[in-house]
Amino acid sequence: MRHFISALLGTLALCGAAHAHSVKKDTLEIIHPHINEPFAGAKSAAAYMAISNEGPQDDRLIGIETPAAKKASLHSTEHASDGVARMTPIEAIDIPAGETINLEPGGIHIMLMGLTGPIKEGDMVPTTFHFEHAGPVAVEFMVDPADGVDHSKMDHSPSN
């Protein structure tokens, strides 16, 4: 019976880890970094997560690198008066002390442009985040089921 309970608890722990994961460095925690599986042949993908800063000092996410894309950049979604959503590149994301910032669809997010190969549900995509104070943080994006949005067709040009 003891072995059964141990096996059951181990299985439950693995199931939870498969659906939600995080990376912690010092006082920063990157919670469930994920990419919704892009359409086959897509040239770009959007990445999301929450970033929690449990420390006394503000920090900033200032860059991202991944071998999965030719370019990774920070973006914000802006809705124009004509109803069209445009993705605008931003230089950094402020992570105030004691707060959690959500990167999510329709808001701030990371764009991976020029995908270097297919990424499929279940893949783990290696990435390095660069923070102003915490420095580099190795993160893996989990590829989640598709959300039905083809980000490669959206306007990602800087606004004038």
Side-chain angles (χ1 to χ4, degrees):
M1 181 69 164
R2 187 179 330 167
H3 294 292
F4 172 76
I5 292 172
S6 294
L8 179 61
L9 290 174
T11 301
L12 289 174
L14 288 174
C15 288
H19 293 296
H21 67 287
S22 67
V23 173
K24 189 161 184 158
K25 181 176 181 187
D26 301 328
T27 60
L28 291 180
E29 184 174 12
I30 295 104
I31 304 160
H32 189 56
H34 66 283
I35 299 166
N36 293 333
E37 181 180 32
F39 290 100
K43 300 294 183 207
S44 65
Y48 311 105
M49 78 223 60
I51 303 173
S52 178
N53 182 353
E54 300 168 5
Q57 178 182 22
D58 295 349
D59 210 334
R60 301 179 83 202
L61 177 59
I62 55 175
I64 305 104
E65 296 175 311
T66 179
K70 292 177 185 173
K71 181 179 180 182
S73 57
L74 305 169
H75 278 76
S76 177
T77 304
E78 296 178 7
H79 298 275
S81 59
D82 61 4
V84 175
R86 289 180 176 79
M87 307 304 152
T88 304
I90 56 177
E91 289 191 27
I93 298 172
D94 292 321
I95 316 294
E99 292 191 27
T100 298
I101 301 300
N102 291 309
L103 283 71
E104 56 194 2
I108 55 176
H109 58 280
I110 295 170
M111 285 304 305
L112 305 178
M113 297 202 248
L115 294 176
T116 57
I119 53 175
K120 303 219 177 280
E121 182 178 344
D123 288 350
M124 299 299 284
V125 178
T127 307
T128 301
F129 288 10
H130 295 278
F131 289 93
E132 191 170 76
H133 298 291
V137 178
V139 174
E140 285 188 316
F141 285 115
M142 177 182 291
V143 181
D144 286 347
D147 67 353
V149 178
D150 183 356
H151 292 274
S152 66
K153 303 289 188 231
M154 294 183 177
D155 181 359
H156 291 87
S157 60
S159 58
N160 294 334

